[in-house]
Amino acid sequence: MEKQKSIKKAIKVKPSTDKFTKKMKERSKKYSQQSIDPFAPKASSYGLNPEFEILEPNYDPEQLLIIKNTNDVLRQCSKCIQVNSVGNGYGLVYKGKELSKEASPEMQAKKDNFLSLLDMPNPDQYGHELFSSLSADYADFNRCYVEIIRGNVITKDKNYINRPVAFYHVPTSTMRKTRKDAEPTEVSVKMLRFGEVREHKIKKHFRRYVQKVDYTTTTGEPRYIYFKEYGDPRTIDKESGEVLTTPAEIKKAIEDGNVATEMYEISAYEPGQIYSEPEWINQLTSILASKLCNEVNLGFFENNTIPNMVVMISGGALSDESYDEVKNAFRDIRGKDSFNSILFLEAVGDAAAASDSGTIPVPKLDIKPLIEGRQDDAIFQNFKEQVNRLILSSYRIDPILIGMSKGSDKASAEVAILSAEAEVFGPLRKKFEDFVSKVILVDENGFADKDWSFRFKPTNILKQESVFLAIRYGIASGALTPNTIIQMINNHLNLEIPIIEDFWGNIPATSVRDSFRNYLETNNEEGKGIESKTFEAFLKTLEIVEPVEEVNSDPQKLAPNQGGIDAQSRNQN
């Protein structure tokens, strides 16, 4: 017993519990109308099972979603990342060594099988919907989860392999992790080393993933669904999270449909943390303060009690009716009704101020605006703009991409898109591409398929003139083939021109042009001329374009602008 306690103590890793984190957690709960973390009810889900205790995140995901949806720019940033990372469609790119086999029936059959899995990964979602959901979760939490369903697939040599046959998006806000197992599990892995597939036995500490679903009608206690970590070979009960070892237990779990499926996590590395946290979490205090600013401004418009102006009468006293009207005005006139209201006051002459002749002075009428006593309708505006800039800097996104730029030109817009593509959209797109290519589209050894790779279509960030110029100079250098040109046009102009299946589609375009020209000249000499304006126009598109400016051979002009061509190093000769 003592030994078990010491082991548990040794592997116990708690999330950050510093005072700042605790304070932020309490504030995030205070400013939300939602219930508390569903994984921490009175049944105390965290620590439910001492063997694989559910780990509490630093910030409740449900509360983070509320904060995101009530902020001025967080939602726009999330949508911007979602659309530009995976929102332009996807496809398969042939990467085989023999390009001539790309159009073969075998390669096309494999491509069709992969696309059928990608286009409908499960009965509930199409491919683009699933990837859009994953990217939305990743933009919000810096992590997302995919449930992997495996099935036995027969190969062409009549062998069965266990590979993914479906995959589902799982909402990140509903997922939690358990501690890693104290005892390691032996796993057989295949690795490609020196051109050979070698199988190795390794020991790995797995964890489980947990999702809270609903309350049972009998006991009222919370119900949990357990998933096993991707690559865990053990059979696990999805209701209890326990490892099933005996054949009878495994058979019963299979018959009852209680076998846990695999969970794959796509996340960013967070030093010292168990859960990845949103990019904007370092601005949480400012974001919460910005939320309070919005509430103050809302309260100002709803509860403003200061009238637009007041009519004052001096040299007299308020009548009883005017006194009651003053009280009612400050008590009842609120919100938009108070902005144009005028307070009329009735006064009577002050007998104490009468002259020696007994004449009571006439009360003096004075109209006094009360606009100075009001709050500015743009209160906190500078502070809120500063918070928005901080959030955008956390995401590394330019304001122009979410419609907040006050003024910009075409050049600055292109720079903003290029920067975001390099810093945000491209790396996230690569994460999802790697997941699909290395987890879903795998061969019998579990490796990424050697013929096809998965690619998302990037945001079109190049001008058409730049694309055409690159194609023309690529043709001139002999680097581009007709099929490469077609791929460039399809990618940047969102077209679907079919590839050329004949052999000449994969040889340099200049060779194709010269070969056809020689063919035409030979036919003309033999009196077998071919008249085709379309073909002649095609040949003209392959014309070599010489650079307008000759390369300058002056070494002083080729060297960097450092005042001359003197080297900084010393020549020892």
Side-chain angles (χ1 to χ4, degrees):
M1 187 70 180
E2 293 299 327
K3 184 177 181 182
Q4 290 182 352
K5 288 184 178 179
S6 62
I7 292 176
K8 182 181 176 183
K9 185 176 181 181
I11 64 170
K12 194 170 185 180
V13 179
K14 289 187 176 181
S16 175
T17 56
D18 59 274
K19 294 181 180 179
F20 175 79
T21 300
K22 287 183 177 179
K23 186 179 293 184
M24 288 302 98
K25 288 168 66 175
E26 292 302 321
R27 286 183 179 176
S28 65
K29 292 177 182 178
K30 176 182 177 182
Y31 299 137
S32 169
Q33 301 301 317
Q34 295 288 321
S35 61
I36 61 173
D37 182 0
F39 275 81
K42 52 188 177 181
S44 186
S45 304
Y46 295 116
L48 186 67
N49 189 324
E51 292 186 11
F52 37 88
E53 181 183 352
I54 303 175
L55 299 172
E56 181 181 7
N58 284 337
Y59 304 93
D60 178 14
E62 293 290 343
Q63 308 299 332
L64 293 178
L65 282 180
I66 297 298
I67 293 173
K68 182 207 79 169
N69 289 327
T70 54
N71 184 261
D72 297 344
V73 300
L74 283 177
R75 188 179 178 89
Q76 293 93 309
C77 290
S78 176
K79 184 62 69 174
C80 175
I81 294 174
Q82 176 185 348
V83 170
N84 288 281
S85 58
V86 301
N88 298 312
Y90 58 83
L92 296 178
V93 178
Y94 183 72
K95 62 176 183 179
K97 295 181 180 179
E98 300 182 36
L99 297 178
S100 58
K101 289 186 177 182
E102 178 180 355
S104 66
E106 181 182 0
M107 288 296 104
Q108 291 303 309
K110 182 190 285 190
K111 181 180 181 181
D112 291 340
N113 290 336
F114 284 157
L115 285 177
S116 65
L117 177 59
L118 295 171
D119 291 341
M120 185 169 282
N122 60 69
D124 300 332
Q125 282 184 308
Y126 292 110
H128 67 90
E129 295 174 327
L130 184 143
F131 292 122
S132 180
S133 301
L134 291 175
S135 63
D137 273 2
Y138 195 94
D140 291 341
F141 299 103
N142 240 2
R143 64 183 187 274
C144 58
Y145 297 94
V146 189
E147 181 185 3
I148 308 293
I149 312 297
R150 289 184 182 268
N152 289 325
V153 180
I154 188 171
T155 61
K156 58 183 178 181
D157 53 357
K158 307 302 180 183
N159 292 324
Y160 285 96
I161 58 172
N162 193 255
R163 63 185 302 171
V165 294
F167 54 105
Y168 290 79
H169 159 253
V170 184
T172 300
S173 60
T174 66
M175 293 301 301
R176 300 294 188 274
K177 301 178 184 180
T178 69
R179 298 190 186 281
K180 290 191 175 184
D181 296 334
E183 297 297 327
T185 301
E186 188 174 75
V187 184
S188 176
V189 296
K190 293 180 179 180
M191 304 182 71
L192 186 62
R193 290 292 182 271
F194 309 108
E196 296 181 4
V197 177
R198 299 185 179 184
E199 191 167 341
H200 301 271
K201 299 287 185 181
I202 64 171
K203 291 186 177 182
K204 184 175 180 180
H205 296 265
F206 288 101
R207 66 159 36 104
R208 294 161 184 75
Y209 292 86
V210 193
Q211 184 181 36
K212 182 179 179 298
V213 283
D214 54 9
Y215 287 86
T216 58
T217 55
T218 55
T219 63
E221 295 295 325
R223 180 181 170 217
Y224 301 91
I225 298 296
Y226 287 87
F227 302 86
K228 62 180 183 179
E229 187 176 352
Y230 178 76
D232 190 342
R234 301 171 297 177
T235 303
I236 294 177
D237 189 291
K238 74 174 185 180
E239 296 284 349
S240 65
E242 301 288 345
V243 178
L244 305 178
T245 55
T246 65
E249 290 176 335
I250 295 175
K251 181 181 178 182
K252 186 177 186 308
I254 293 175
E255 292 174 351
D256 296 341
N258 285 338
V259 177
T261 54
E262 292 176 274
M263 185 64 62
Y264 190 92
E265 181 183 20
I266 305 174
S267 63
Y269 171 67
E270 193 79 36
Q273 300 296 331
I274 299 169
Y275 295 91
S276 297
E277 296 176 345
E279 293 284 1
W280 48 267
I281 201 66
N282 60 327
Q283 307 298 339
L284 183 57
T285 51
S286 299
I287 292 171
L288 293 178
S290 176
K291 178 179 172 63
L292 289 178
C293 292
N294 289 336
E295 293 175 355
V296 169
N297 283 332
L298 177 63
F300 162 64
F301 285 106
E302 287 184 343
N303 301 307
N304 177 61
T305 62
I306 301 177
N308 193 44
M309 64 179 67
V310 62
V311 178
M312 303 181 66
I313 302 176
S314 58
L318 287 176
S319 65
D320 293 339
E321 292 80 4
S322 295
Y323 179 78
D324 292 337
E325 186 176 351
V326 171
K327 290 197 303 182
N328 293 336
F330 283 90
R331 182 185 60 195
D332 299 332
I333 303 177
R334 294 177 178 272
K336 61 181 185 298
D337 295 334
S338 68
F339 279 86
N340 298 309
S341 64
I342 301 176
L343 184 61
F344 290 95
L345 303 177
E346 181 183 1
V348 295
D350 187 3
S355 61
D356 296 338
S357 63
T359 304
I360 299 175
V362 179
K364 182 181 178 183
L365 180 68
D366 187 18
I367 299 177
K368 181 177 177 60
L370 297 183
I371 195 68
E372 297 161 346
R374 292 184 174 183
Q375 294 175 339
D376 186 3
D377 60 351
I379 190 172
F380 308 128
Q381 183 174 354
N382 293 335
F383 173 73
K384 285 165 58 63
E385 290 180 354
Q386 171 112 13
V387 173
N388 292 341
R389 285 196 298 269
L390 292 173
I391 294 173
L392 290 170
S393 69
S394 298
Y395 273 113
R396 303 182 303 285
I397 290 179
D398 193 274
I400 193 173
L401 298 181
I402 62 170
M404 291 188 64
S405 178
K406 295 181 179 179
S408 60
D409 52 21
K410 186 177 181 181
S412 60
E414 290 179 353
V415 170
I417 296 176
L418 285 170
S419 175
E421 178 67 23
E423 290 279 339
V424 185
F425 310 143
L428 179 56
R429 196 181 300 124
K430 186 67 169 59
K431 277 180 179 286
F432 289 123
E433 290 172 350
D434 287 345
F435 158 70
V436 174
S437 295
K438 297 176 182 179
V439 176
I440 304 300
L441 309 183
V442 293
D443 59 17
E444 60 275 7
N445 293 313
F447 298 153
D449 187 76
K450 64 180 183 300
D451 297 313
W452 296 99
S453 63
F454 178 79
R455 290 288 183 272
F456 285 106
K457 294 180 180 179
T459 302
N460 188 5
I461 57 178
L462 292 179
K463 296 184 294 183
Q464 293 185 7
E465 297 85 353
S466 303
V467 176
F468 291 139
L469 187 62
I471 290 175
R472 297 183 74 179
Y473 276 93
I475 293 172
S477 65
L480 298 181
T481 66
N483 279 338
T484 354
I485 297 172
I486 290 174
Q487 289 177 359
M488 292 177 67
I489 293 176
N490 287 343
N491 290 338
H492 294 287
L493 302 183
N494 292 325
L495 299 177
E496 294 184 359
I497 303 173
I499 62 170
I500 300 169
E501 299 183 1
D502 291 336
F503 75 95
W504 59 271
N506 296 313
I507 63 177
T510 50
S511 301
V512 175
R513 180 202 59 200
D514 295 340
S515 299
F516 274 115
R517 277 185 171 167
N518 292 335
Y519 173 73
L520 290 176
E521 290 174 0
T522 303
N523 284 336
N524 288 333
E525 291 175 0
E526 296 176 358
K528 301 177 182 179
I530 299 177
E531 295 182 0
S532 174
K533 293 183 178 180
T534 305
F535 189 74
E536 291 176 0
F538 168 73
L539 289 180
K540 287 183 179 180
T541 62
L542 300 181
E543 287 291 341
I544 295 180
V545 180
E546 297 295 338
V548 177
E549 297 182 1
E550 295 183 358
V551 177
N552 199 317
S553 58
D554 186 350
Q556 292 198 30
K557 293 184 179 181
L558 291 176
N561 184 18
Q562 296 177 346
I565 59 172
D566 293 336
Q568 296 185 46
S569 60
R570 295 291 181 265
N571 190 337
Q572 300 301 320
N573 293 329

Short mmCIF file of all heavy atoms in Angstrom, two decimals, residues 325-353:
data_model
loop_
_atom_site.label_atom_id
_atom_site.label_comp_id
_atom_site.label_asym_id
_atom_site.label_seq_id
_atom_site.Cartn_x
_atom_site.Cartn_y
_atom_site.Cartn_z
N GLU A 325 -41.25 66.94 -9.32
CA GLU A 325 -40.83 66.66 -10.69
C GLU A 325 -39.32 66.39 -10.76
O GLU A 325 -38.86 65.55 -11.52
CB GLU A 325 -41.19 67.83 -11.60
CG GLU A 325 -40.91 67.55 -13.07
CD GLU A 325 -41.38 68.67 -13.97
OE1 GLU A 325 -42.07 69.60 -13.45
OE2 GLU A 325 -41.06 68.64 -15.16
N VAL A 326 -38.54 67.15 -9.98
CA VAL A 326 -37.09 66.91 -9.94
C VAL A 326 -36.79 65.49 -9.47
O VAL A 326 -35.98 64.76 -10.04
CB VAL A 326 -36.39 67.94 -9.04
CG1 VAL A 326 -34.93 67.55 -8.82
CG2 VAL A 326 -36.48 69.31 -9.66
N LYS A 327 -37.47 65.08 -8.40
CA LYS A 327 -37.24 63.73 -7.88
C LYS A 327 -37.65 62.67 -8.90
O LYS A 327 -36.93 61.68 -9.10
CB LYS A 327 -38.03 63.54 -6.58
CG LYS A 327 -37.49 64.34 -5.41
CD LYS A 327 -38.03 63.80 -4.08
CE LYS A 327 -39.54 63.80 -4.05
NZ LYS A 327 -40.06 63.33 -2.75
N ASN A 328 -38.77 62.86 -9.56
CA ASN A 328 -39.23 61.87 -10.53
C ASN A 328 -38.31 61.80 -11.75
O ASN A 328 -38.09 60.74 -12.31
CB ASN A 328 -40.65 62.21 -10.98
CG ASN A 328 -41.66 62.06 -9.86
OD1 ASN A 328 -41.42 61.31 -8.91
ND2 ASN A 328 -42.78 62.79 -9.95
N ALA A 329 -37.76 62.97 -12.14
CA ALA A 329 -36.89 62.98 -13.32
C ALA A 329 -35.64 62.13 -13.09
O ALA A 329 -35.23 61.36 -13.95
CB ALA A 329 -36.51 64.42 -13.66
N PHE A 330 -35.01 62.26 -11.93
CA PHE A 330 -33.79 61.51 -11.67
C PHE A 330 -34.08 60.05 -11.30
O PHE A 330 -33.18 59.23 -11.29
CB PHE A 330 -32.99 62.18 -10.55
CG PHE A 330 -32.26 63.39 -11.02
CD1 PHE A 330 -32.85 64.64 -10.97
CD2 PHE A 330 -30.99 63.29 -11.54
CE1 PHE A 330 -32.18 65.76 -11.41
CE2 PHE A 330 -30.31 64.41 -11.98
CZ PHE A 330 -30.90 65.66 -11.93
N ARG A 331 -35.34 59.75 -11.00
CA ARG A 331 -35.67 58.40 -10.62
C ARG A 331 -36.24 57.59 -11.79
O ARG A 331 -35.95 56.41 -11.96
CB ARG A 331 -36.70 58.42 -9.48
CG ARG A 331 -37.08 57.03 -8.97
CD ARG A 331 -38.18 57.16 -7.94
NE ARG A 331 -39.37 57.80 -8.53
CZ ARG A 331 -40.37 58.30 -7.83
NH1 ARG A 331 -40.33 58.29 -6.51
NH2 ARG A 331 -41.42 58.86 -8.45
N ASP A 332 -37.02 58.24 -12.66
CA ASP A 332 -37.78 57.50 -13.66
C ASP A 332 -37.25 57.67 -15.08
O ASP A 332 -37.43 56.79 -15.91
CB ASP A 332 -39.25 57.92 -13.64
CG ASP A 332 -39.89 57.64 -12.27
OD1 ASP A 332 -39.42 56.70 -11.60
OD2 ASP A 332 -40.84 58.36 -11.90
N ILE A 333 -36.66 58.83 -15.38
CA ILE A 333 -36.23 59.06 -16.77
C ILE A 333 -34.85 58.45 -16.97
O ILE A 333 -33.86 58.96 -16.44
CB ILE A 333 -36.20 60.57 -17.10
CG1 ILE A 333 -37.58 61.18 -16.85
CG2 ILE A 333 -35.78 60.80 -18.54
CD1 ILE A 333 -37.63 62.67 -17.07
N ARG A 334 -34.78 57.35 -17.72
CA ARG A 334 -33.52 56.64 -17.92
C ARG A 334 -33.32 56.30 -19.40
O ARG A 334 -34.25 56.39 -20.20
CB ARG A 334 -33.48 55.34 -17.10
CG ARG A 334 -33.48 55.56 -15.60
CD ARG A 334 -33.53 54.23 -14.86
NE ARG A 334 -33.49 54.44 -13.42
CZ ARG A 334 -32.37 54.53 -12.72
NH1 ARG A 334 -31.21 54.42 -13.33
NH2 ARG A 334 -32.41 54.72 -11.42
N GLY A 335 -32.11 55.87 -19.70
CA GLY A 335 -31.82 55.38 -21.04
C GLY A 335 -31.98 56.44 -22.10
O GLY A 335 -31.70 57.62 -21.90
N LYS A 336 -32.50 55.99 -23.26
CA LYS A 336 -32.58 56.91 -24.41
C LYS A 336 -33.58 58.03 -24.19
O LYS A 336 -33.49 59.08 -24.81
CB LYS A 336 -32.96 56.12 -25.66
CG LYS A 336 -34.31 55.43 -25.59
CD LYS A 336 -34.60 54.66 -26.88
CE LYS A 336 -36.00 54.04 -26.87
NZ LYS A 336 -36.19 53.06 -25.81
N ASP A 337 -34.56 57.81 -23.28
CA ASP A 337 -35.56 58.85 -23.03
C ASP A 337 -34.95 60.07 -22.36
O ASP A 337 -35.49 61.18 -22.44
CB ASP A 337 -36.68 58.30 -22.15
CG ASP A 337 -37.47 57.21 -22.85
OD1 ASP A 337 -37.49 57.23 -24.11
OD2 ASP A 337 -38.03 56.33 -22.17
N SER A 338 -33.81 59.88 -21.65
CA SER A 338 -33.22 60.99 -20.92
C SER A 338 -32.38 61.90 -21.79
O SER A 338 -32.01 62.99 -21.37
CB SER A 338 -32.36 60.45 -19.77
OG SER A 338 -31.22 59.79 -20.28
N PHE A 339 -32.07 61.47 -23.03
CA PHE A 339 -31.13 62.25 -23.84
C PHE A 339 -31.77 63.53 -24.37
O PHE A 339 -31.09 64.51 -24.62
CB PHE A 339 -30.62 61.39 -25.01
CG PHE A 339 -29.52 60.46 -24.60
CD1 PHE A 339 -29.81 59.20 -24.08
CD2 PHE A 339 -28.20 60.82 -24.71
CE1 PHE A 339 -28.81 58.35 -23.69
CE2 PHE A 339 -27.18 59.97 -24.32
CZ PHE A 339 -27.49 58.73 -23.80
N ASN A 340 -33.06 63.53 -24.58
CA ASN A 340 -33.72 64.70 -25.13
C ASN A 340 -34.78 65.28 -24.19
O ASN A 340 -35.65 66.03 -24.60
CB ASN A 340 -34.38 64.35 -26.47
CG ASN A 340 -33.36 63.92 -27.51
OD1 ASN A 340 -32.38 64.61 -27.72
ND2 ASN A 340 -33.60 62.78 -28.14
N SER A 341 -34.70 64.89 -22.94
CA SER A 341 -35.70 65.38 -21.98
C SER A 341 -35.29 66.76 -21.46
O SER A 341 -34.11 67.07 -21.35
CB SER A 341 -35.85 64.39 -20.82
OG SER A 341 -34.64 64.30 -20.10
N ILE A 342 -36.28 67.58 -21.17
CA ILE A 342 -36.07 68.91 -20.61
C ILE A 342 -36.83 68.99 -19.29
O ILE A 342 -38.00 68.60 -19.22
CB ILE A 342 -36.55 70.02 -21.56
CG1 ILE A 342 -35.81 69.92 -22.90
CG2 ILE A 342 -36.35 71.40 -20.94
CD1 ILE A 342 -36.29 70.91 -23.93
N LEU A 343 -36.16 69.45 -18.29
CA LEU A 343 -36.76 69.54 -16.96
C LEU A 343 -37.25 70.98 -16.72
O LEU A 343 -36.46 71.92 -16.74
CB LEU A 343 -35.72 69.14 -15.90
CG LEU A 343 -36.21 69.09 -14.46
CD1 LEU A 343 -37.33 68.07 -14.30
CD2 LEU A 343 -35.04 68.75 -13.54
N PHE A 344 -38.57 71.13 -16.55
CA PHE A 344 -39.16 72.44 -16.30
C PHE A 344 -39.42 72.59 -14.81
O PHE A 344 -40.01 71.70 -14.18
CB PHE A 344 -40.47 72.60 -17.07
CG PHE A 344 -40.28 72.72 -18.54
CD1 PHE A 344 -40.37 71.61 -19.35
CD2 PHE A 344 -40.00 73.96 -19.12
CE1 PHE A 344 -40.18 71.72 -20.72
CE2 PHE A 344 -39.82 74.07 -20.48
CZ PHE A 344 -39.91 72.95 -21.29
N LEU A 345 -39.00 73.72 -14.28
CA LEU A 345 -39.16 73.98 -12.85
C LEU A 345 -39.99 75.26 -12.66
O LEU A 345 -39.77 76.27 -13.34
CB LEU A 345 -37.79 74.14 -12.17
CG LEU A 345 -36.82 72.95 -12.32
CD1 LEU A 345 -35.50 73.28 -11.66
CD2 LEU A 345 -37.43 71.70 -11.73
N GLU A 346 -40.90 75.22 -11.71
CA GLU A 346 -41.74 76.39 -11.38
C GLU A 346 -41.29 76.96 -10.05
O GLU A 346 -41.08 76.20 -9.09
CB GLU A 346 -43.21 76.00 -11.31
CG GLU A 346 -44.12 77.16 -10.99
CD GLU A 346 -45.57 76.74 -10.86
OE1 GLU A 346 -45.84 75.53 -11.00
OE2 GLU A 346 -46.41 77.60 -10.60
N ALA A 347 -41.11 78.27 -10.00
CA ALA A 347 -40.66 78.91 -8.75
C ALA A 347 -41.59 80.06 -8.40
O ALA A 347 -42.23 80.68 -9.25
CB ALA A 347 -39.23 79.41 -8.90
N VAL A 348 -41.66 80.34 -7.13
CA VAL A 348 -42.45 81.47 -6.62
C VAL A 348 -41.50 82.48 -6.01
O VAL A 348 -40.39 82.14 -5.59
CB VAL A 348 -43.50 81.00 -5.60
CG1 VAL A 348 -44.53 80.08 -6.25
CG2 VAL A 348 -42.84 80.30 -4.43
N GLY A 349 -41.90 83.73 -5.95
CA GLY A 349 -41.05 84.78 -5.41
C GLY A 349 -40.73 84.56 -3.93
O GLY A 349 -41.54 84.03 -3.17
N ASP A 350 -39.56 85.01 -3.57
CA ASP A 350 -39.10 84.85 -2.18
C ASP A 350 -39.47 86.11 -1.39
O ASP A 350 -38.95 87.20 -1.64
CB ASP A 350 -37.59 84.64 -2.16
CG ASP A 350 -37.07 84.28 -0.77
OD1 ASP A 350 -37.91 84.16 0.15
OD2 ASP A 350 -35.84 84.11 -0.64
N ALA A 351 -40.42 85.93 -0.48
CA ALA A 351 -40.88 87.08 0.31
C ALA A 351 -39.78 87.66 1.18
O ALA A 351 -39.75 88.86 1.48
CB ALA A 351 -42.08 86.66 1.18
N ALA A 352 -38.83 86.83 1.58
CA ALA A 352 -37.74 87.30 2.44
C ALA A 352 -36.82 88.25 1.71
O ALA A 352 -36.08 89.04 2.31
CB ALA A 352 -36.95 86.12 2.99
N ALA A 353 -36.87 88.18 0.36
CA ALA A 353 -35.99 89.04 -0.44
C ALA A 353 -36.71 90.31 -0.91
O ALA A 353 -36.24 91.00 -1.79
CB ALA A 353 -35.45 88.27 -1.63
#
